């Protein structure tokens, strides 16, 4: 033992101690039960034997204990106490176990909130945070287990060669036991043989693995007992340190096992070397690797008789047991071993054991267990990723299972990748990355629990209640701090890699049926801020248009829908539709089946709008319903937009002429057009009047059937490339009441200014037409209007037009013609018998003008105050 090479000790100290083994897949159903969180796609069922279920002890306690112990308990305790001192060792364990305990609480909470399937941490994260987070973390978890298995395989090879290998240094005399050839290719051969042994066990199935781990558990506990007993029965002795030749620095070649002495304890209480050889952070990073492995039990959820009962009790029991064992062993080591022995010989526990080979057997057993655990864990994660189809056909072959439900192809793929890592040989670098990957997984579990707690969803009611959002946040902070404490560069690169995978899955993976925690969090926050949005605190300075656009048939209204989206200025935008009918005479609500098509239209047009549909006995009553009920709190429509009442033939703007009806990707099937409800001129004008009575501004849109924003905002060079928006802020039907400073006129100016602020319309030039009577001074009126525009911070060109040239609208001087016209909409007459004449006047006013908006503002919307 004293001649073990330092390379073995360094790699075992710097390697990750993580043996996460997700459970083997349960019998795969042909269809998912609603709410069970199944995969997005159905899987082919095959006759499988029912898996054997495990108890708390065999399913959770044993895997977690072996994962947390590994070789740490035999090779790392002395290193920590020797370099940090007993007091700092206590502090390190308290901090480390505080960090992992926060994650354990999150694991217990999530595991007791519903049924868990195979996949362990990946399953928890993906079902809570969605496929993007789950898939990216799951792939990193898979790679971490693959590299971890290779690390432990090579660690076992080096442990074997340190005892039985022929020394590479020819000046060193080999002992009788050192008969195995050494070197790179021989080490690779031994590592391949061990990896094949792990493959054989994992291919047979999880039940054989469970029996093997139980035997290894008995061996490790027995060796641990001999270690504790040896401190009391072994007499003080002198131990020869590794490399027993006096070097140039004069380091001693021997150290003492003194037995229990106060002088030894006093010498090991404080740190004598931190700052010279190793810092507190570096020692803590090495020690923390021995505290991981906490999710080995939860990853067995598919094989547990009662996961909600077993995972909290088993995991917490294992954590408490290892914490007590580590601290008790630290005290015994500090009381009986010389500090030089602790710093120079990591395998000193074998030198002071009642029988030296006991500790060697313990190291071999724990390392082999960790290698198998990581291999079977990687295969289960890969199978869960493949079953969920997050990476398409890349992992599709990994779905295959045996009749007993063992994903044998996933095992083979995982083993093959382990073999590739063994060829690389640079495992000390990989060890830090693997540890950071595991910490990212733990932080993601804490984040999942934190998100579920913050979302306050009624269905999140875990039976394990010993957690709060504070414990989740502390767990996240602790894991992130540890990542950067281990290696800043690797931690940053790992987070960047995770974000890259997240974006890749977001754009390439199919839509899942698991539910998205982001939606719950958004709902929670929106509700909170909507309650804070007090309509009594509204102010004219912060006014913005909140628009309800009534759509009869979306197929012929695409141009208007996209144009109104440009003038909403981050305000509320609602697409409203009225379907005639009486719910009392119908078997069900016919509107529910239409919402998905409308939402698909919103996505297809890439606009930011809500959809409100209503069932009414008339269009007028339906519009009243929508004006009354649309929106919430301070987010309610203040402007109603209607298409114009004319006989223009509608044109389908959603049909792609290069595709057939069955191939068309648009949201509304051409063969299933919405039925346009009948509307008469009296009812149309009555809707305008109703909206104004409800203090809603009204906009009538005409000639937007053929409106194409891309063509309008980017005119050909033949038209000098200029785009104009004309504004006529005066009532052209009543010249005697003309004013440029009334509420309605300023409303026109505001909407035109908003349109000019949109990126695609910034090149447009506003032209404001000033109508003056013949004989009056044009200069005075023009200067007055120019001063008003300056105060309102609106950049527009004022053009004067004599009233006698405005006899008919189609004689407006416009060269070149504008992209859009904004006109003043007069109020409807109080006498309903004049509705037809009113509508006829509007028709004549806007005839052949191109895209035109008739606007009537009700409330003040613009101010010159700061």
């Amino acid at each position: 033992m004293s001649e073990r090479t330092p390379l073995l000790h360094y790699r075992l100290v710097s390697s990750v101690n993580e043996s996460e083994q997700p459970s083997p897949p349960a019998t795969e159903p042909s269809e998912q039960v609603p709410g069970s969180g199944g995969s997005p796609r159905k899987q082919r069922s095959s006759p499988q034997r029912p898996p054997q279920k495990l108890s708390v002890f065999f399913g959770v306690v044993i895997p977690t204990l072996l994962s947390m112990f590994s070789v740490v308990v035999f090779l790392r305790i002395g290193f920590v106490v020797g370099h940090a001192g007993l007091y700092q060792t206590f502090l390190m364990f308290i901090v480390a176990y505080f960090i992992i305990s926060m994650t354990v609480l999150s694991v217990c909470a999530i595991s007791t909130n519903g049924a868990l399937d195979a996949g362990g941490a990946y399953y928890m994260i993906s079902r809570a945070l969605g496929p993007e987070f789950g898939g990216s973390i799951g792939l990193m978890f898979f790679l971490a287990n693959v590299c971890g298995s290779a690390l432990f395989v090579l660690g076992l090879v080096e442990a074997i060669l340190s005892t039985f290998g022929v020394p590479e240094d020819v000046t060193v005399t080999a002992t009788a036991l050192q008969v195995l050839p050494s070197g790179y290719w021989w080490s690779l051969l031994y590592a391949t043989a061990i990896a094949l042994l792990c493959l054989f066990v994992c291919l047979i199935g999880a039940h054989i693995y469970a029996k093997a781990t139980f035997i290894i558990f008995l061996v490790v506990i027995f060796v641990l007992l001999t270690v504790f007993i040896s401190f009391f029965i072994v007499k003080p002795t002198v131990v020869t340190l590794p490399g027993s030749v006096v070097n140039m620095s004069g380091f001693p070649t021997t150290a003492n096992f003194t037995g229990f002495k106060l002088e030894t304890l006093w010498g090991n209480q404080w740190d004598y070397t931190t700052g010279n050889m190793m810092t507190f952070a570096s020692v803590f990073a090495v020690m923390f690797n021995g505290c991981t492995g906490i999710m080995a039990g939860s990853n067995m959820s598919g094989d547990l008789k009662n996961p909600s009962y077993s995972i909290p009790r088993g995991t917490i029991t294992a954590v408490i047991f290892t914490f007590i064992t580590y601290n008790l062993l630290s005290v015994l080591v500090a009381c009986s071993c010389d500090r030089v022995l602790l710093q120079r010989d990591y395998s000193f526990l074998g030198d002071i054991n009642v029988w030296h080979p006991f500790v060697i057997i313990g190291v071999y057993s724990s390392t082999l267990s960790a290698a198998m655990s990581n291999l079977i864990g990687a295969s289960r994660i890969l199978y869960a990723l493949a079953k969920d189809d997050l990476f398409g056909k890349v992992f599709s072959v990994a779905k295959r299972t045996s009749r007993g439900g063992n994903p044998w192809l996933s095992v083979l793929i995982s083993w093959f990748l382990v073999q590739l890592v063994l060829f690389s040989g640079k495992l000390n670098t990989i060890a830090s990355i693997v540890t950071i990957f595991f910490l990212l997984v733990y932080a993601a579990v804490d984040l999942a629990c934190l998100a579920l707690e913050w979302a306050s969803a009624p269905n999140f009611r875990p039976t394990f209640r010993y957690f709060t959002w504070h414990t989740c946040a502390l767990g996240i902070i602790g894991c992130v701090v540890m990542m950067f404490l281990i290696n800043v560069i690797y931690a940053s690169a790992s987070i960047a890699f995770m974000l890259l995978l997240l974006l890749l899955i977001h754009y390439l993976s199919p839509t899942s049926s698991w539910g998205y925690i982001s939606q719950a969090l958004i709902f929670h926050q929106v509700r909170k801020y909507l309650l804070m949005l007090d309509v009594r605190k509204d102010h004219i300075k912060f006014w913005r248009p909140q628009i309800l656009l009534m759509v009869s048939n979306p197929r012929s209204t695409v141009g208007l829908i996209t144009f109104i989206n440009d003038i909403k200025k981050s305000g509320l935008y609602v697409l409203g539709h009225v379907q005639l009918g009486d719910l009392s005479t119908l078997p069900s609500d016919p509107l529910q089946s239409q919402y998905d098509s409308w939402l698909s239209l919103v996505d297809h047009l890439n606009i930011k709008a809500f959809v409100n549909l209503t069932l009414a006995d008339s269009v007028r009553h339906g519009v009243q319903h929508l004006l009354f009920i649309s929106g919430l709190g301070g987010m309610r429509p203040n402007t109603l937009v209607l298409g114009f009442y004319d006989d223009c033939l509608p044109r389908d703007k959603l049909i792609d002429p290069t595709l057939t009806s069955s191939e068309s990707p648009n949201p509304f099937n051409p063969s299933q057009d919405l039925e346009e409800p009948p509307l008469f001129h009296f009812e149309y004008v009555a809707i305008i009047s109703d909206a104004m009575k409800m203090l809603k501004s009204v906009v009538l849109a005409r000639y937007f059937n053929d409106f194409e924003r891309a063509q309008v905002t980017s005119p050909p060079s033949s038209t000098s490339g200029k785009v104009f928006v004309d504004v006529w802020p005066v009532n052209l039907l009543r010249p005697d009441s003309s004013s440029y400073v009334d509420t309605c006129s300023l409303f026109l100016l505001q909407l035109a200014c908003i349109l000019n602020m949109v990126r695609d319309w910034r090149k447009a030039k506003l032209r404001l037409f000033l109508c003056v009577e013949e004989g009056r001074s044009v200069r005075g009126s023009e200067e007055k209007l120019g001063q008003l525009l300056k105060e309102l911070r609106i950049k527009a060109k004022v053009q004067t037009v004599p009233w006698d040239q405005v006899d008919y609208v189609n004689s407006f001087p416009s060269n070149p013609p504008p992209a859009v016209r904004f006109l003043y909409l007069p109020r409807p007459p109080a006498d309903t018998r004049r509705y037809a004449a009113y509508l006829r006047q509007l028709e004549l006013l806007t005839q052949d003008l191109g895209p035109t908006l008739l606007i009537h503002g009700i409330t003040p919307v613009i101010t010159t105050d700061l």
Side-chain angles (χ1 to χ4, degrees):
M1 292 296 295
S2 62
E3 296 178 2
R4 182 167 295 135
T5 60
L7 178 61
L8 162 68
H9 308 313
Y10 178 71
R11 286 194 172 174
L12 287 177
V13 166
S14 63
S15 66
V16 63
N17 174 42
E18 180 69 62
S19 46
E20 310 282 354
Q21 57 271 21
S23 61
T27 302
E28 198 173 330
S30 58
E31 293 187 4
Q32 294 294 339
V33 179
S36 63
S39 66
R41 302 179 182 177
K42 296 181 180 179
Q43 304 293 327
R44 181 178 301 174
S45 61
S46 58
Q48 298 176 353
R49 294 186 296 270
Q52 299 177 356
K53 299 297 182 179
L54 303 176
S55 63
V56 178
F57 183 72
F58 287 95
V60 182
V61 176
I62 290 180
T64 307
L65 280 177
L66 288 178
S67 297
M68 298 188 71
F69 274 152
S70 188
V71 297
V72 178
V73 72
F74 300 115
L75 298 179
R76 199 167 297 176
I77 292 297
F79 166 85
V80 176
V81 176
H83 286 85
L86 183 61
Y87 290 153
Q88 289 195 28
T89 300
F90 286 157
L91 178 61
M92 289 181 183
F93 277 118
I94 291 173
V95 173
Y97 270 79
F98 176 79
I99 293 174
I100 65 172
S101 295
M102 299 301 101
T103 303
V104 167
L105 296 180
S106 299
V107 170
C108 294
I110 298 177
S111 64
T112 59
N113 190 53
L116 293 180
D117 203 349
Y122 158 71
Y123 188 86
M124 295 182 189
I125 297 168
S126 62
R127 269 50 178 185
L129 299 181
E132 294 89 353
F133 247 106
S136 57
I137 292 294
L139 183 60
M140 297 177 72
F141 200 20
F142 165 70
L143 295 176
N145 276 274
V146 167
C147 295
S149 179
L151 284 168
F152 285 115
V153 167
L154 191 60
L156 178 56
V157 169
E158 292 183 346
I160 294 173
L161 290 178
S162 65
T163 304
F164 302 103
V166 176
E168 296 184 12
D169 189 353
V170 295
T171 62
V172 178
T173 304
T175 64
L177 295 177
Q178 294 177 321
V179 295
L180 294 178
S182 58
Y184 171 79
W185 292 107
W186 283 106
S187 298
L188 183 61
L189 177 63
Y190 303 146
T192 302
I194 295 173
L196 285 173
L197 174 62
C198 297
L199 173 66
F200 176 75
V201 173
C202 295
L203 280 178
I204 295 177
H207 61 288
I208 295 297
Y209 167 76
K211 294 178 181 178
T213 54
F214 177 65
I215 295 174
I216 292 175
F217 170 76
L218 294 178
V219 172
V220 171
I221 293 299
F222 175 76
V223 172
L224 195 57
L225 288 175
T226 64
V227 168
F228 279 105
I229 294 173
S230 298
F231 283 107
F232 295 94
I233 66 175
V234 173
K235 296 180 179 179
T237 184
V238 177
V239 179
T240 303
L241 299 177
S244 56
V245 178
V246 178
N247 53 35
M248 297 296 294
S249 301
F251 285 146
T253 59
T254 60
N256 297 320
F257 170 70
T258 63
F260 294 108
K261 286 188 177 181
L262 288 177
E263 293 83 357
T264 304
L265 176 62
W266 182 259
N268 287 321
Q269 283 182 350
W270 302 102
D271 168 30
Y272 293 94
T273 60
T274 298
N276 297 324
M277 295 177 61
M278 298 190 72
T279 63
F280 179 91
S282 60
V283 177
F284 183 68
V286 170
M287 183 276 300
F288 187 79
N289 290 333
C291 302
T292 55
I294 54 176
M295 282 188 284
S298 61
N299 286 334
M300 299 293 291
S301 57
D303 290 319
L304 299 176
K305 294 179 181 178
N306 188 348
S308 298
Y309 177 87
S310 302
I311 290 176
R313 290 163 175 79
T315 305
I316 293 175
T317 299
V319 169
I320 294 175
F321 183 82
T322 55
F323 179 76
I324 295 174
T325 302
Y326 280 143
N327 282 277
L328 182 59
L329 192 57
S330 299
V331 173
L332 295 177
V333 165
C335 291
S336 59
C337 297
D338 190 355
R339 181 171 55 88
V340 176
L341 176 63
L342 300 179
Q343 291 180 351
R344 297 285 307 282
D345 188 0
Y346 301 144
S347 60
F348 72 96
L349 289 178
D351 298 326
I352 65 174
N353 198 276
V354 290
W355 189 50
H356 295 183
F358 273 153
V359 174
I360 298 178
I361 295 173
V363 170
Y364 291 174
S365 300
S366 58
T367 310
L368 180 63
S369 170
M372 285 193 301
S373 176
N374 279 270
L375 178 60
I376 199 170
S379 67
R380 281 1 184 222
I381 298 168
L382 178 60
Y383 172 71
L385 287 169
K387 190 171 65 170
D388 287 341
D389 284 328
L390 295 183
F391 294 92
K393 296 182 179 179
V394 177
F395 293 152
S396 58
V397 296
K399 298 179 184 179
R400 299 183 182 180
T401 62
S402 64
R403 295 189 61 183
N406 186 31
W408 60 274
L409 202 50
S410 294
V411 174
L412 284 175
I413 295 173
S414 302
W415 167 81
F416 177 74
L417 294 178
V418 169
Q419 190 65 44
L420 290 181
V421 177
L422 291 176
F423 275 103
S424 67
K426 297 180 179 180
L427 297 181
N428 289 329
T429 300
I430 298 175
S432 298
I433 300 177
V434 170
T435 304
I436 290 172
F437 276 16
F438 281 126
L439 285 171
L440 262 181
V441 175
Y442 299 159
V445 172
D446 287 317
L447 180 61
C449 188
L450 177 65
L452 290 170
E453 178 70 8
W454 273 356
S456 300
N459 283 322
F460 183 64
R461 45 179 184 272
T463 57
F464 182 88
R465 296 302 305 169
Y466 301 102
F467 78 100
T468 65
W469 70 266
H470 303 85
T471 61
C472 302
L474 288 173
I476 295 173
I477 295 172
C479 291
V480 172
V481 169
M482 275 306 308
M483 286 167 51
F484 285 92
L485 193 63
I486 292 173
N487 192 297
V488 175
I489 297 177
Y490 293 161
S492 303
S494 300
I495 294 176
F497 180 56
M498 180 196 70
L499 294 176
L500 179 63
L501 289 174
L502 191 148
L503 292 175
L504 183 68
I505 298 173
H506 176 74
Y507 288 106
L508 299 181
S509 67
T511 302
S512 73
S513 59
W514 309 331
Y516 292 85
I517 189 63
S518 59
Q519 295 298 304
L521 290 172
I522 291 171
F523 177 89
H524 184 267
Q525 293 302 107
V526 167
R527 181 196 64 86
K528 181 174 69 175
Y529 287 114
L530 273 175
L531 291 173
M532 297 171 61
L533 191 60
D534 192 344
V535 295
R536 296 168 296 183
K537 298 179 181 179
D538 283 346
H539 195 277
I540 187 174
K541 289 191 298 185
F542 307 110
W543 178 91
R544 67 183 70 237
Q546 304 198 80
I547 300 171
L548 170 62
L549 171 62
M550 297 304 303
V551 179
S552 179
N553 190 336
R555 307 197 65 83
S556 59
T557 325
V558 172
L560 180 59
I561 293 174
T562 54
F563 177 79
I564 298 301
N565 185 67
D566 286 340
I567 64 172
K568 69 179 187 300
K569 188 55 179 176
S570 303
L572 178 67
Y573 185 21
V574 180
L575 301 182
H577 175 73
V578 178
Q579 180 168 328
L580 299 183
D582 185 358
L583 189 59
S584 62
T585 62
L586 298 173
S588 62
D589 183 4
L591 301 178
Q592 297 302 318
S593 60
Q594 299 180 19
Y595 272 100
D596 286 345
S597 295
W598 282 90
L599 295 176
S600 298
L601 174 71
V602 171
D603 295 336
H604 178 72
L605 298 179
N606 193 27
I607 61 175
K608 298 177 180 179
F610 298 95
V611 174
N612 259 2
L613 311 180
T614 188
L615 192 68
D617 57 354
S618 69
V619 177
R620 181 182 182 183
H621 289 164
V623 175
Q624 289 177 359
H625 295 169
L626 294 176
L627 287 174
F628 277 125
I629 67 174
S630 294
L632 284 174
M635 292 187 66
R636 292 185 178 276
N638 55 28
T639 304
L640 173 67
V641 181
L642 301 172
F644 197 77
Y645 188 90
D646 55 19
D647 55 0
C648 292
L649 294 177
R651 294 183 56 185
D652 195 334
K653 304 297 291 186
L654 289 178
I655 291 182
D656 187 342
T658 63
L659 300 176
T660 64
S661 297
S662 60
E663 295 174 336
S664 181
N666 62 70
F668 285 92
N669 192 316
S671 62
Q672 298 177 350
D673 287 344
L674 293 177
E675 180 182 354
E676 297 190 26
L679 183 65
F680 302 100
H681 68 272
F682 178 88
E683 188 176 15
Y684 180 79
V685 179
I687 291 173
I688 299 175
S689 179
D690 292 342
M692 293 182 182
K693 292 177 183 178
M694 299 169 67
L695 300 182
K696 309 295 183 184
S697 299
V698 178
V699 178
L700 306 183
R702 191 175 190 186
Y703 296 124
F704 279 87
N705 291 343
D706 298 324
F707 182 83
E708 294 286 348
R709 185 178 66 173
Q711 297 178 5
V712 171
T713 56
S714 301
S717 57
S718 59
T719 61
S720 71
K722 294 182 179 179
V723 180
F724 293 98
V725 175
D726 287 358
V727 182
W728 294 77
V730 67
N731 188 350
L732 297 176
L733 299 184
R734 295 187 60 186
D736 57 324
S737 63
S738 62
S739 173
Y740 291 95
V741 291
D742 66 359
T743 299
C744 188
S745 299
L746 294 178
F747 190 86
L748 264 74
L749 289 174
Q750 182 76 303
L751 288 187
C753 181
I754 289 174
L755 180 65
N756 199 213
M757 296 168 68
V758 178
R759 182 176 59 183
D760 292 339
W761 290 89
R762 286 175 184 169
K763 294 181 180 180
K765 306 297 183 182
L766 294 185
R767 295 190 301 192
L768 184 61
F769 288 88
L770 173 62
C771 299
V772 295
E773 296 180 5
E774 190 72 26
R776 292 188 58 182
S777 175
V778 176
R779 180 182 299 272
S781 300
E782 190 172 353
E783 290 180 353
K784 183 179 179 182
L785 184 57
Q787 181 61 29
L788 175 64
L789 293 175
K790 184 177 180 181
E791 292 177 358
L792 297 177
R793 291 91 61 201
I794 297 177
K795 186 178 181 180
K797 180 180 180 181
V798 179
Q799 292 189 0
T800 59
V801 180
W803 270 112
D804 56 359
Q805 294 186 16
V806 197
D807 293 337
Y808 295 97
V809 168
N810 56 12
S811 67
F812 285 177
S814 300
N815 186 25
V820 182
R821 286 183 173 90
F822 288 72
L823 303 185
Y824 190 111
L825 174 66
R827 272 185 173 273
D831 187 355
T832 59
R833 292 173 297 181
R834 297 174 54 193
Y835 278 2
Y838 169 79
L839 196 56
R840 177 60 180 168
Q841 287 179 318
L842 297 182
E843 183 179 1
L844 290 175
L845 184 66
T846 58
Q847 187 173 357
D848 299 328
L849 284 184
T852 302
L853 296 180
L854 287 163
I855 302 171
H856 188 92
I858 296 294
T859 57
V861 297
I862 198 166
T863 180
T864 58
D865 295 336
L866 181 64

